[in-house]
Each structure stands twice: as structure tokens, then as C-alpha cells.
Amino acid sequence: MERKSQVVYTNSGEEMLFQYDIKDKDAQSFVITDIDKAGENMPDIRVSRPDDAEHPSFISHDEERPIAIVDEDSPLMKFCRLVLADELGE
């Protein structure tokens, strides 16, 4: 299977390439895994979109602690939203 990729632009106009795979996909969630951001490996991100929630949640695990990704202006959140849109379109 070919790895997927997304290009994200920062507020300053810098281009960032993310490459990744998707696993454990079901009707309400999936995991973005094997994330490579310009040569830097990043922890997996679980994307959940429960029917009763107004917004999806993006949770990463840094050293075994769950970390919610909430900064709407961060390149990581932009990446997560692009992946979510891509996966909803399939």
C-alpha cells in the first residue's frame, strides 16, 4: 500500500509535507500512524468523531500520556483536519 501524504502551509507560508498511514478505521474513529513530518517521526494520532459530538477529537500519545490537539492554527491540527476530510471522502 502506498503511503498517503498531505501538504500543510503554516501561517508564515512555510510548506510542510506529512506522510502517513491509516489503521484501525471504523465508522467513528481511525488512527493516523507512521507519521513523518519532513523526516521527523511523530506519535500516532487517534481521530474520533462520535455521532453525539459536535466536533471531532484528535488525541496523540506523548510518552504514554494522551495529549489533545486543540490549537486550530497549528500545522498539526491543519494536518489532522486534512486527513479527516480525506478519510470522510472515501
Side-chain angles (χ1 to χ4, degrees), residues 8-11 69-79:
V8 173
Y9 293 91
T10 65
N11 291 340
I69 302 166
V70 295
D71 181 359
E72 291 292 332
D73 291 328
S74 75
L76 188 55
M77 176 61 91
K78 291 175 183 178
F79 164 69

Side-chain angles (χ1 to χ4, degrees), residues 18 22 32 38 69 74 89-90:
F18 289 82
I22 299 295
I32 308 170
I69 302 166
S74 75
E90 288 187 354

Side-chain angles (χ1 to χ4, degrees), residues 25-79:
K25 185 174 178 179
D26 63 28
Q28 295 185 332
S29 67
F30 60 89
V31 175
I32 308 170
T33 188
D34 296 329
I35 304 167
D36 180 313
K37 179 184 82 172
E40 174 188 349
N41 290 325
M42 302 183 66
D44 291 356
I45 300 170
R46 173 163 292 283
V47 179
S48 299
R49 47 180 197 251
D51 293 333
D52 61 348
E54 187 174 337
H55 300 286
S57 65
F58 306 99
I59 307 292
S60 179
H61 284 80
D62 185 22
E63 297 178 12
E64 301 304 319
R65 294 180 326 211
I67 307 276
I69 302 166
V70 295
D71 181 359
E72 291 292 332
D73 291 328
S74 75
L76 188 55
M77 176 61 91
K78 291 175 183 178
F79 164 69

Side-chain angles (χ1 to χ4, degrees), residues 12-25:
S12 63
E14 179 185 354
E15 184 178 285
M16 301 177 103
L17 175 65
F18 289 82
Q19 294 181 313
Y20 63 96
D21 292 312
I22 299 295
K23 71 176 186 179
D24 300 338
K25 185 174 178 179

Side-chain angles (χ1 to χ4, degrees), residues 80-90:
C80 289
R81 291 211 178 272
L82 286 170
V83 172
L84 176 60
D86 196 41
E87 291 302 309
L88 288 175
E90 288 187 354

